[in-house]
Amino acid sequence: MIFLGTGASEGIPDPFCNCEVCRKARESGDPREIRGRSAFAIDSHNLIDFGPDAHLASARFGVPLYELKNIFYTHFHSDHFDLINWESIRMSLTPPHISVYLSEPAFRGMQHYRELLSAHYPDRDRDFRFYDEYIHMIPVRPFEPFETDNMKVCALRTIHEGAFMGETALNYLFERKGKRFLYASDTGLYEEDNYNYLQGKLLNTLIMECSFGNAVRQPGFKHLTCEFISQMIERFCEDGVVNNRTEIYLTHIGHKGGLNHLELQQKMRDMIGMQVEVAYDGLRIADI
Ligand SMILES: [Zn+2]
Ligand SMILES: [Zn+2]
Ligand SMILES: [Zn+2]
């Protein structure tokens, strides 16, 4: 599995920002400090999110997508979904047929988006007619597992509001060959329904967002801070979801968290005292 984009919506550095995090990221020369927008490849068939930088990351990190079968969209904020990436599918001489998994409100939102664009832009109407043939949108509901590509997949619910009316982001739990993996971005603190569903389901790999690092936020906030992550991991440990063999990675890192890569790494290791690694673009981790 490989991280193709580990930045929050503005990426790091935000080109329009000269804060300390962005400045250090530019000056450090450390490639881990340069973060594109969200995308994660489980393997050559399965992708989670497809942000605007995923196109270039695919080439940079040697992850071609011509065999892609599934994209699991957490939500349709533009750092996770960008129509320009679908345009590359349309321009392909060997376009793959892709199933796109998304929440029900996002499915309705995409239909409406299509109607609006098609009514005003003939080019977009043409694009969407192509997508009808190659991109199959499948709405999914939280806590209703389904199978695809030898994986059991189940969406979890979050309080992170998405781009469309009524949309909240999905997180995804994957199981394959006895291994379990949770992708938790974008989210906010979990509510009891997620904890209940996950109870006793020990994870091999846990990926969580860390958009707001050192910042102080109140419960109900739509992203995670180091403090929120620490609280969630404590609960996961109590519930038998995480133990000291679970590999934990942080992604969706934003400059508003106030910490650069190694600072965030150190802070989280001190706070959690477990195996936790701040991901970076191009980081490869154990497959499921
Ligand atoms: Zn995001
Ligand atoms: Zn900045
Ligand atoms: Zn978002």
Side-chain angles (χ1 to χ4, degrees):
M1 304 201 287
I2 180 168
F3 290 88
L4 294 176
T6 60
S9 60
E10 65 283 353
I12 292 184
D14 175 340
F16 301 100
C17 183
N18 200 24
C19 77
E20 202 180 335
V21 171
C22 292
R23 199 163 55 243
K24 279 193 198 163
R26 286 187 194 101
E27 290 167 358
S28 73
D30 182 343
R32 295 175 299 183
E33 297 283 11
I34 309 297
R35 300 182 185 279
R37 274 69 63 88
S38 282
F40 182 83
I42 297 172
D43 53 31
S44 61
H45 292 171
N46 297 287
L47 202 64
I48 305 171
D49 288 334
F50 198 0
D53 304 313
H55 185 284
L56 183 58
S58 150
R60 271 182 81 198
F61 304 121
V63 185
L65 301 173
Y66 55 79
E67 292 182 335
L68 198 65
K69 289 183 178 171
N70 298 313
I71 306 177
F72 303 91
Y73 279 105
T74 57
H75 64 309
F76 281 71
H77 276 155
S78 51
D79 53 324
H80 300 255
F81 161 80
D82 192 326
L83 261 192
I84 193 69
N85 286 338
W86 287 17
E87 181 64 2
S88 300
I89 303 169
R90 194 179 71 79
M91 296 301 281
S92 168
L93 300 181
T94 59
H97 287 266
I98 297 173
S99 294
V100 158
Y101 297 89
L102 71 178
S103 67
E104 287 182 328
F107 179 75
R108 288 193 296 273
M110 280 300 285
Q111 286 175 322
H112 189 222
Y113 184 49
R114 173 199 180 137
E115 284 161 20
L116 279 176
L117 284 178
S118 296
H120 297 283
Y121 303 97
D123 279 2
R124 293 289 88 82
D125 187 48
R126 176 206 61 195
D127 295 347
F128 274 105
R129 276 188 274 113
F130 170 88
Y131 302 151
D132 284 342
E133 189 174 344
Y134 287 93
I135 298 178
H136 180 45
M137 287 197 238
I138 303 174
V140 297
R141 286 187 180 163
F143 313 118
E144 293 185 7
F146 55 96
E147 303 233 355
T148 178
D149 201 34
N150 299 317
M151 291 190 298
K152 184 175 160 193
V153 186
C154 186
L156 302 186
R157 205 176 59 78
T158 78
I159 59 166
H160 181 89
E161 285 158 4
F164 293 122
M165 199 77 81
E167 182 194 8
T168 50
L170 300 176
N171 287 175
Y172 288 99
L173 177 67
F174 299 91
E175 295 182 54
R176 182 155 67 182
K177 296 181 196 153
K179 286 176 123 185
R180 231 182 245 123
F181 153 53
L182 175 62
Y183 191 87
S185 177
D186 296 6
T187 177
L189 282 168
Y190 272 7
E191 296 186 332
E192 285 304 312
D193 48 4
N194 282 356
Y195 288 124
N196 289 338
Y197 186 81
L198 289 168
Q199 178 94 31
K201 294 186 172 73
L202 182 62
L203 299 172
N204 298 81
T205 306
L206 168 61
I207 298 176
M208 300 177 81
E209 67 138 299
C210 186
S211 310
F212 280 80
N214 240 352
V216 177
R217 294 290 185 275
Q218 298 306 310
F221 186 59
K222 314 296 183 195
H223 277 294
L224 296 180
T225 62
C226 294
E227 178 57 38
F228 289 167
I229 290 167
S230 167
Q231 288 174 25
M232 285 175 69
I233 290 178
E234 200 175 313
R235 175 69 186 264
F236 285 150
C237 288
E238 288 168 15
D239 288 351
V241 176
V242 163
N243 69 13
N244 56 15
R245 289 209 301 279
T246 304
E247 293 182 8
I248 304 170
Y249 298 92
L250 304 182
T251 189
H252 203 275
I253 315 290
H255 61 158
K256 289 182 181 167
L259 300 171
N260 285 87
H261 181 84
L262 292 174
E263 295 163 344
L264 181 58
Q265 179 73 75
Q266 193 57 50
K267 165 140 189 151
M268 290 315 293
R269 286 198 177 148
D270 292 348
M271 252 180 127
I272 297 173
M274 296 179 72
Q275 189 169 234
V276 54
E277 192 166 344
V278 178
Y280 51 87
D281 294 17
L283 175 65
R284 285 182 189 272
I285 63 173
D287 288 335
I288 58 153

